[in-house]
Amino acid sequence: MAIGYSIILGVVGLVTFVHGEVIVYGAFTGFYTLLLSRGNVALALLAGFAASWILGVVVNKICYQPFQQRGREVALIATIGLSITLRSSAQVLFGTQQKFMPDMFQNRFFALGDIRIAYTQVFVFAVVFGLCLLLQRIITKTYFGMALRAVSMNKKAAALLGLDVNRAILLGNALACGLGGISGVLLGMYYNAIHPLMGASMAMKAFTATVFGGLGSITGAAIGGFLLGIFENFAVAMLSSGYRDIVAFLILIAVLIAKPSGIMGRRGVELS
Amino acid sequence: MKPARKSIVLIGLGAVISLAIPLFLKNEYLLRVATIALLYVLLASSLNIINGYSGQFNIGHAGFYCIGAYTSAILAKKFGLSFWVLLPIGGFAAATSSFLLGIPTLRLKGIYFAMTTLGFSEIVRLTVLNWQSLTRGPMGIPGIPSPELLGMQFRSNAHFYYLILGINALMLFLTSRVLGSRIGRAWSAIREDEAAAQAMGIEVFRFKLLNLAYGAFWAGIAGCFYASFASFISPDSFTLDEGFSMLAMVLLGGQGTLLGPILGATFLTILSETFRTIAQYRLIIYGVAILLTIHLRPQGIAGSVFLRQIETARESFQVSFTKESEVDVSYS
Amino acid sequence: MFPILETRDLCRHFGGLRALENVSMQIWEREICGIIGPNGAGKTTLFNVITGFLRATRGDVFFQKRSITNLPPERIARLGVIRTFQNIRIFKHMTVLDNVKVGFHTQTSTRLWDALAHTAVFRRDEDKVTEESFRILKEVGLAQEANNLAMNLPYGMQRKLEIARALAANPLVLLLDEPAAGMNPKETEDLVSFIRQLNGWGLTIVVIEHDMKLIMNVCHRIIVLNHGKKICEGTPKEVQKDQQVVEAYLGRSSDLT
């Protein structure tokens, strides 16, 4: 999830508020596909990916493309507007109730000493890991990945070299949203439940993890997400569960103030 | 002196209409809506002082609102302080909190500052939610006393309507004075071009902080009013969406004008009240309002000031991407 | 006599790039000093370091014998070192009058309370600022435009407005960064006489310019930078004859002619 965010930040150079909603729409698409296909997980993941991909294209058309000349604040406002709209629409479309994701492993688990590990957890982890590897390959090895990196480093130079910057932004954003959709489905499987409002806090955490790890760095995003999880659990252990979310925001502000480029951030992420 | 006369006529007209509303609006519900609309006028205007005049990008205004409301509610319940004492206290509490936020973060630019305001707003709300010994957490604080003036208790909607109208009038009067002074000019200069403002000797950080505190002060006042008007407050009233709604009002009305937030807040409150039966539709209105405004009329209904194009100030280069990805590089 | 503005061994490096390297120069009171050099010679960087917008890597800047090295820009402006920018940076969405009024910031002392209560301090400040602003606008010929938005002015007038704003800030030394850029010959001519006029009032002026006619016409003294180093200094005539300067402008190929 944080990784998807990282791509958007890096490539488009923008902060987005819509990512949470993208996750939700992906999750619900996956959920309905799962129901209709009687538990075909691969199909559900694919559908979640596709739906979010399309949403990513829409986001690009509404929020980014028209405002390229007008500064990032305008685009940020646009994503806030779209986020509110989509979130509220989600409640209308999918109802306000929590939906329970059918578990393909029928809650089976295996025991490792005293720890019980559900098959679902293993599955989710495996998919995430696989996706990370795949993504890393795409980014480092393919032409598309190189275009993405070039655009994220310097839009002007990339354009001068004849890269189609708009297309790269469009695809990068769509890809990132697609990943968000998959992570939505996975999260639904992991927690067994999905809710139209679950996106907002997740997106905030994804953002924090991304900033924490370093804007535009995929490894950073993964590490940031991991560390954030650890810090949160510390806070829960030491204070109370209510403080879980505060930790995320405190980290966000602290990192922005102290080291805006994040722990793995490359130099020259525009801040000045 | 024509523009001046026009604005005097406008102010007079606005005053007459707003004073007369309770006289022919006998329906209690509608009067309540009118009061809420004015509450949002106050909130949107105070946000506009920050976003529209000094160009800081605050998207977590609900945090200041929350602090004002809870400060006054807790003091009222614990010490029985009168509303009139609490009103400035609520304002100053919010202003003080803005120092805590602003001193470390105001050096950040644009969207990075925006993210910290958002984080601040959520931290405030979550703290209120979790600090149960003080705030009763999710249960909220009920039974906040209503104000009293010369032995008369504020009970009816009309009373509250006139109260918030008075607060608004005071806010507009004082704010227009500040804006017409060297302070207001310094704020606008910072919005337009920070470096040029510095080159004119403006202490950018100090004036940004003053600006944030001044805006937060009125949000705190609004919170104080809300607490005694609703007589019950809970963290649910101070979510991020609340802050986004204020942002939508400011944007729709027009940033950087005094009139804009008044129009935006009134229009959106009334529109969303018409759909009040379905909570989800309410928010859709705000979302769509934001999107339509920035696509169709970025300066807002009343705006003459275009959204600040920060990039021009920050970068010496501006590149525009054209269709065939031809590049048009121009110094700016 | 001591120089009003002086740099000693001033350096500014960007990574490996030496934008300024040991630049020492003196600006004397009441002179008009030109700074010229090819693109990328470090002229604007010099201004930026003097006015505090960039930190000096090494070296010092003195104003009236007092070190102002690396002070924040607003402090330096308050002392009376006022600059304009190469790319016009007026306050676009403010009126012409308000642009100039901002210039008086350091000479006024209205606090929040004064503004809220319209105290005597506020009234004294506003009366003075309004009156003086109109005086300056008249001098530069922008009085008719006072209530227009600055962004609606034609280019040449915007340049004038930026200078007007700088004048309002009560400069002792005025640093002009390419004031004639984008002006037509007529406007440039007006600018020349305007700079002379300002100088006649006792203002010290440092001007970066590519328009050699303007520079040679108006400057008492010229400093030439190339690759961040001062390569020559002297009267316009001396500079024009200097071999190094000719090479800097024409490149090494000058010996082909």
Side-chain angles (χ1 to χ4, degrees):
Chain A
M1 193 165 51
I3 293 172
Y5 215 111
S6 175
I7 295 186
I8 299 183
L9 266 168
V11 176
V12 193
L14 290 166
V15 177
T16 170
F17 270 94
V18 198
H19 209 54
E21 281 58 52
V22 169
I23 293 170
V24 169
Y25 277 76
F28 271 89
T29 313
F31 167 73
Y32 286 119
T33 317
L34 215 51
L35 281 191
L36 290 176
S37 68
R38 292 164 201 278
N40 188 334
V41 179
L43 204 61
L45 286 175
L46 212 61
F49 182 79
S52 306
W53 177 286
I54 294 168
L55 201 54
V57 175
V58 174
V59 170
N60 196 56
K61 281 269 180 281
I62 295 183
C63 298
Y64 299 150
Q65 222 159 37
F67 304 121
Q68 277 188 353
Q69 335 280 314
R70 293 220 346 242
R72 294 182 294 178
E73 289 170 352
V74 186
L76 178 66
I77 293 171
T79 63
I80 291 179
L82 189 61
S83 155
I84 299 175
T85 314
L86 285 178
R87 176 151 31 97
S88 311
S89 313
Q91 285 176 284
V92 178
L93 283 174
F94 308 133
T96 49
Q97 297 299 313
Q98 167 152 299
K99 294 254 190 311
F100 292 98
M101 208 85 162
D103 189 336
M104 56 170 176
F105 297 106
Q106 281 86 40
N107 291 324
R108 274 180 295 170
F109 57 85
F110 61 87
L112 211 80
D114 282 344
I115 310 162
R116 303 200 306 185
I117 300 173
Y119 280 110
T120 315
Q121 284 176 326
V122 177
F123 175 75
V124 167
F125 185 76
V127 173
V128 169
F129 193 69
L131 280 177
C132 280
L133 284 181
L134 186 67
L135 195 64
Q136 195 71 37
R137 276 197 85 78
I138 292 178
I139 299 278
T140 51
K141 294 278 153 56
T142 64
Y143 177 77
F144 168 63
M146 285 198 315
L148 273 188
R149 281 186 296 151
V151 169
S152 78
M153 280 174 200
N154 191 336
K155 282 190 188 130
K156 296 149 211 160
L160 285 170
L161 288 172
L163 279 176
D164 189 338
V165 173
N166 276 334
R167 212 177 125 76
I169 291 177
L170 176 73
L171 286 177
N173 189 45
L175 176 66
C177 287
L179 289 175
I182 291 189
S183 58
V185 182
L186 291 175
L187 283 163
M189 294 170 70
Y190 189 84
Y191 292 114
N192 273 331
I194 51 176
H195 188 271
L197 296 183
M198 72 182 189
S201 76
M202 280 182 200
M204 275 314 300
K205 282 190 192 156
F207 178 77
T208 309
T210 314
V211 171
F212 195 17
L215 298 178
S217 150
I218 291 180
T219 345
I223 296 175
F226 189 62
L227 285 179
L228 182 62
I230 294 178
F231 276 121
E232 279 188 353
N233 286 319
F234 260 121
V236 173
M238 292 197 299
L239 299 162
S240 80
S241 62
Y243 287 95
R244 176 189 289 266
D245 290 341
I246 295 185
V247 174
F249 290 109
L250 281 178
I251 290 179
L252 173 65
I253 293 184
V255 173
L256 278 175
I257 294 168
K259 192 167 185 316
S261 55
I263 43 179
M264 298 279 287
R266 58 168 197 261
R267 278 186 63 209
V269 174
E270 346 69 301
L271 246 188
S272 51
Chain B
M1 286 287 106
K2 262 204 173 144
R5 184 175 298 168
K6 208 171 124 194
S7 62
I8 288 174
V9 170
L10 209 63
I11 292 169
L13 208 65
V16 170
I17 291 175
S18 48
L19 280 171
I21 279 178
L23 298 181
F24 51 84
L25 209 63
K26 290 295 177 200
N27 182 325
E28 282 297 310
Y29 165 67
L30 290 181
L31 206 50
R32 196 176 163 82
V33 173
T35 310
I36 292 171
L38 282 180
L39 171 66
Y40 279 109
V41 167
L42 182 58
L43 284 166
S45 298
S46 66
L47 177 62
N48 178 46
I49 291 166
I50 300 168
N51 288 21
Y53 281 97
S54 85
Q56 304 313 301
F57 192 24
N58 173 6
I59 53 178
H61 207 48
F64 300 129
Y65 179 39
C66 181
I67 285 174
Y70 266 91
T71 307
S72 64
I74 290 167
L75 291 179
K77 295 285 280 188
K78 288 228 155 112
F79 303 104
L81 291 181
S82 122
F83 175 79
W84 306 105
V85 179
L86 289 171
L87 204 56
I89 292 181
F92 280 113
T96 312
S97 74
S98 80
F99 282 119
L100 292 181
L101 169 68
I103 288 173
T105 62
L106 268 175
R107 289 180 207 281
L108 296 170
K109 308 252 160 150
I111 53 171
Y112 295 96
F113 175 73
M115 294 316 292
T116 57
T117 61
L118 184 140
F120 169 78
S121 174
E122 276 299 86
I123 288 173
V124 169
R125 187 180 67 85
L126 292 167
T127 308
V128 165
L129 195 61
N130 285 294
W131 196 349
Q132 301 210 355
S133 56
L134 185 70
T135 63
R136 291 169 44 90
M139 290 172 299
I141 300 180
I144 300 158
S146 58
E148 210 175 293
L149 187 64
L150 306 170
M152 183 195 76
Q153 192 84 29
F154 281 66
R155 278 180 210 290
S156 73
N157 282 320
H159 291 156
F160 279 106
Y161 176 85
Y162 281 118
L163 176 60
I164 187 72
L165 187 64
I167 296 176
N168 267 306
L170 185 69
M171 180 274 299
L172 286 173
F173 174 70
L174 292 177
T175 304
S176 67
R177 282 191 155 190
V178 177
L179 294 176
S181 78
R182 131 196 215 265
I183 298 168
R185 288 193 295 268
W187 288 347
S188 297
I190 291 169
R191 173 194 68 207
E192 295 290 316
D193 189 330
E194 247 184 79
Q198 275 184 310
M200 290 296 106
I202 292 171
E203 305 87 338
V204 169
F205 180 71
R206 237 181 78 194
F207 278 87
K208 274 187 185 174
L209 201 56
L210 179 65
N211 176 270
L212 189 66
Y214 183 80
F217 176 82
W218 289 106
I221 298 262
C224 183
F225 170 84
Y226 174 73
S228 69
F229 170 61
S231 91
F232 168 79
I233 54 170
S234 79
D236 289 344
S237 310
F238 309 101
T239 56
L240 283 181
D241 282 335
E242 195 69 11
F244 291 161
S245 307
M246 298 172 204
L247 190 67
M249 292 165 183
V250 175
L251 286 170
L252 178 70
Q255 287 197 90
T257 61
L258 282 179
L259 183 63
I262 301 177
L263 296 178
T266 314
F267 180 71
L268 280 181
T269 312
I270 291 171
L271 192 65
S272 71
E273 273 304 319
T274 27
F275 294 96
R276 89 201 131 92
T277 39
I278 314 161
Q280 300 91 309
Y281 286 125
R282 261 193 59 170
L283 274 170
I284 293 182
I285 291 170
Y286 289 104
V288 172
I290 291 178
L291 287 174
L292 285 181
T293 309
I294 56 172
H295 274 274
L296 301 178
R297 197 176 158 79
Q299 72 272 41
I301 302 173
S304 54
V305 177
F306 286 85
L307 277 178
R308 192 174 57 117
Q309 303 179 3
I310 41 148
E311 298 302 316
T312 53
R314 194 182 306 150
E315 293 180 306
S316 53
F317 266 104
Q318 221 182 14
V319 181
S320 54
F321 301 95
T322 47
K323 258 196 187 134
E324 269 70 54
S325 72
E326 287 166 31
V327 186
D328 156 31
V329 182
S330 55
Y331 284 97
S332 65
Chain C
M1 209 168 116
F2 59 89
I4 185 164
L5 186 69
E6 184 180 14
T7 68
R8 278 185 213 154
D9 300 325
L10 201 60
C11 299
R12 167 71 207 196
H13 301 166
F14 296 100
L17 176 75
R18 302 178 165 215
L20 289 178
E21 185 72 3
N22 292 325
V23 174
S24 297
M25 61 166 205
Q26 294 84 34
I27 305 294
W28 304 94
E29 211 163 341
R30 286 173 169 257
E31 75 169 338
I32 303 177
C33 178
I35 294 179
I36 62 171
N39 279 324
K43 305 179 298 281
T44 298
T45 308
L46 179 65
F47 269 19
N48 282 337
V49 175
I50 291 176
T51 51
F53 282 92
L54 285 176
R55 294 186 69 80
T57 309
R58 253 201 328 274
D60 290 288
V61 183
F62 295 91
F63 175 67
Q64 293 179 324
K65 289 210 276 196
R66 171 183 163 191
S67 172
I68 57 166
T69 322
N70 296 336
L71 285 182
E74 59 265 26
R75 292 272 305 280
I76 294 173
R78 193 171 276 268
L79 292 171
V81 182
I82 305 293
R83 69 173 297 181
T84 65
F85 293 88
Q86 188 176 355
N87 42 334
I88 305 180
R89 298 184 97 160
I90 49 173
F91 306 127
K92 286 187 194 147
H93 298 106
M94 295 169 74
T95 64
V96 169
L97 181 61
D98 277 346
N99 263 273
V100 179
K101 280 183 172 180
V102 169
F104 285 95
H105 183 83
T106 57
Q107 299 151 67
T108 47
S109 54
T110 299
R111 286 162 172 273
L112 186 59
W113 167 250
D114 298 313
L116 290 175
H118 277 199
T119 60
V121 177
F122 170 84
R123 285 197 302 273
R124 198 190 59 218
D125 275 354
E126 285 305 302
D127 288 350
K128 175 186 147 189
V129 166
T130 311
E131 193 190 317
E132 301 260 301
S133 296
F134 268 110
R135 187 178 55 76
I136 291 175
L137 283 177
K138 273 195 197 111
E139 272 161 16
V140 300
L142 285 174
Q144 286 83 23
E145 312 286 341
N147 290 315
N148 278 347
L149 284 187
M151 61 187 284
N152 294 334
L153 292 183
Y155 187 83
M157 285 194 179
Q158 293 194 0
R159 282 255 172 234
K160 272 191 179 168
L161 176 59
E162 202 185 6
I163 297 177
R165 188 182 67 186
L167 289 178
N170 197 24
L172 297 173
V173 176
L174 187 60
L175 308 177
L176 301 173
D177 196 348
E178 295 199 25
M183 282 189 171
N184 61 36
K186 170 78 178 63
E187 287 169 331
T188 309
E189 233 169 79
D190 289 349
L191 183 71
V192 167
S193 54
F194 185 56
I195 291 176
R196 285 217 182 97
Q197 194 187 346
L198 295 178
N199 182 244
W201 298 337
L203 209 56
T204 311
I205 296 168
V206 186
V207 52
I208 293 177
E209 191 46 74
H210 278 300
D211 187 329
M212 283 305 142
K213 214 174 126 205
L214 180 145
I215 285 280
M216 298 302 165
N217 248 328
V218 81
C219 295
H220 304 131
R221 217 161 50 85
I222 293 173
I223 291 168
V224 189
L225 293 182
N226 192 24
H227 297 303
K229 290 181 187 149
K230 186 171 86 174
I231 56 169
C232 174
E233 182 176 0
T235 63
K237 282 211 176 105
E238 289 165 5
V239 167
Q240 271 171 317
K241 285 183 204 140
D242 189 280
Q243 191 55 39
Q244 264 189 301
V245 177
V246 175
E247 271 174 21
Y249 270 88
L250 298 178
R252 299 280 164 204
S253 58
S254 58
D255 51 3
L256 288 178
T257 53

